[in-house]
Amino acid sequence: MPRPYLYALQGFVAAARHGNLSRAAKSLHLTVSALSHQIRGLEEQLDQRLFVRNARGVGLTADGRRLFERVAEHLDAIEHAMRPYSARRDDVLTLTLLPSLATSWLVPRLPRFVALHPQLEINLQSSTEVVDFERETDIDAGLRFGVGPWPGLRAVHLFDDPVTPSASPALIERLGRPTLKTLERFPLLGNASTWGAWFERFGGTPPRRFVANFDDTETMNRAAVEGLGIALGRLTLIRPLVAAGLLVPLFSERLKTDRAHHLVYPPRSDDHTGLAAFREWLLAEARDYAAQDANTPPPVEARVPGQKPGTRRKASRE
């Protein structure tokens, strides 16, 4: 029996996974007619029917299921092994980063980079998942927030991201503005470990319970905007909210954590000319941002309508 052609097996696996010839053909950049021809040829070579039509598209026969189980994982292994040898375009730069950093810090600055390098195409993949650069070989670099180091990756420090308490103007109007000594009496939004470090550094006693706990910083900041409580948030994320008048920083004090923002990339990206240009620009933006942060004046105390300067409203027990 002639050995089935590899491209016919690829078409077979794609059709089996999609359950639809149109979608499978699109994923392979083929016409439906060409894919159907491949599958018919494979069925003739094997003298077995591999697919049956159903209401949604196509489904595997028992013989088709057995073939799929035997060949699919091997085709995946071949594809994975060949990825490092795929052609790379230095005028295309693909980056991965957290959605929060994309919206609050990078994207507002990105037009400046595009203006300097109009020939370079930027692909941003925002996700909370940590990318495995060995598997995702189409991704050239990433922006990561953490401690580091990351084994097998180059890591370039960009800037620190200290935290500071902030609250909505509505909460300040309702409860007054806390001092470092009275902060513990106000409704605080978790997490407990970061607040514990804050109170240890600047004084006071952490509350026995928090109004709410969050595993996502953006959600916590949104809760603070809605007046649920005081958030201990990272400066890069709260600055756009402060600029929009949705949050007010409560103190000039800031707590530096052990985590920072880094540009990371695998050694295979060392000679990527697009990444080299982006790295140079990014480091300059990070330096400017850090310098502006160092010169930022302390927050002005929010005035409550009808309240005399120098007076404070007592915290409500509601």
Side-chain angles (χ1 to χ4, degrees):
M1 179 184 66
R3 180 176 299 175
Y5 293 111
L6 181 60
Y7 68 82
L9 286 174
Q10 290 175 321
F12 161 74
V13 169
R17 283 178 169 157
H18 286 280
N20 182 283
L21 293 184
S22 296
R23 290 195 295 267
K26 185 177 181 180
S27 71
L28 297 171
H29 305 289
L30 296 174
T31 64
V32 175
S33 176
L35 178 59
S36 298
H37 180 74
Q38 287 184 9
I39 293 174
R40 283 197 301 271
L42 183 60
E43 289 178 325
E44 291 174 1
Q45 289 177 343
L46 299 177
D47 194 24
Q48 293 174 346
R49 191 177 183 186
L50 303 176
F51 290 101
V52 293
R53 292 192 174 277
N54 55 42
R56 297 182 178 179
V58 293
L60 289 170
T61 64
D63 290 330
R65 173 60 58 185
R66 283 192 293 270
L67 179 63
F68 178 81
E69 292 174 350
R70 291 179 179 178
V71 305
E73 63 177 315
H74 299 293
L75 290 177
D76 290 343
I78 292 173
E79 180 184 358
H80 176 66
M82 294 301 296
R83 281 180 183 176
Y85 303 99
S86 59
R88 188 189 76 189
R89 292 177 53 189
D90 280 5
D91 60 347
V92 176
L93 179 62
T94 301
L95 303 169
T96 176
L97 73 167
L98 290 169
S100 56
L101 185 66
T103 56
S104 65
W105 195 85
L106 181 62
V107 170
R109 292 168 170 77
L110 206 54
R112 293 198 285 267
F113 177 75
V114 174
L116 292 171
H117 302 277
Q119 79 289 351
L120 189 61
E121 177 183 320
I122 303 292
N123 296 324
L124 295 184
Q125 298 186 3
S126 56
S127 172
T128 57
E129 299 295 326
V130 177
V131 167
D132 183 349
F133 285 95
E134 291 188 3
R135 293 185 61 87
E136 304 293 336
T137 55
D138 57 331
I139 299 179
D140 303 302
L143 299 182
R144 283 188 179 173
F145 179 65
V147 179
W150 292 274
L153 297 179
R154 316 280 196 233
V156 181
H157 178 270
L158 297 176
F159 56 88
D160 298 326
D161 203 355
V163 297
T164 193
S166 63
S168 70
L171 184 141
I172 296 173
E173 181 178 350
R174 187 174 80 247
L175 302 180
R177 186 167 186 145
T179 66
L180 288 174
K181 293 183 178 180
T182 63
L183 179 60
E184 64 196 66
R185 306 174 194 169
F186 283 71
L188 305 182
L189 306 178
N191 66 57
S193 61
T194 308
W195 273 115
W198 171 273
F199 284 112
E200 182 179 355
R201 172 68 177 82
F202 298 110
T205 304
R208 293 184 178 180
R209 61 178 294 274
F210 293 90
V211 174
N213 294 281
F214 302 87
D215 60 0
D216 174 71
T217 304
E218 283 192 288
T219 305
M220 180 184 68
N221 289 340
R222 175 51 56 183
V225 167
E226 298 300 330
L228 183 62
I230 296 173
L232 186 57
R234 288 166 24 209
L235 286 175
T236 53
L237 302 187
I238 69 171
R239 276 209 170 92
L241 301 174
V242 172
L246 299 175
L247 286 180
V248 177
L250 298 175
F251 309 107
S252 59
E253 286 79 4
R254 298 167 181 177
L255 178 67
K256 182 179 178 180
T257 68
D258 56 354
R259 297 192 294 172
H261 294 278
H262 300 79
L263 171 68
V264 300
Y265 54 92
R268 59 177 164 79
S269 295
D270 280 342
D271 59 347
H272 192 301
T273 56
L275 176 59
F278 180 76
R279 170 178 167 162
E280 181 180 359
W281 171 83
L282 188 66
L283 285 172
E285 289 288 333
R287 285 193 298 269
D288 289 346
Y289 176 76
Q292 292 171 7
D293 179 57
N295 295 324
T296 299
V300 177
E301 181 171 342
R303 288 283 305 281
V304 177
Q307 180 180 347
K308 295 181 179 180
T311 63
R312 298 183 185 275
R313 294 181 62 177
K314 295 182 178 180
S316 169
R317 293 186 180 180
E318 296 180 0

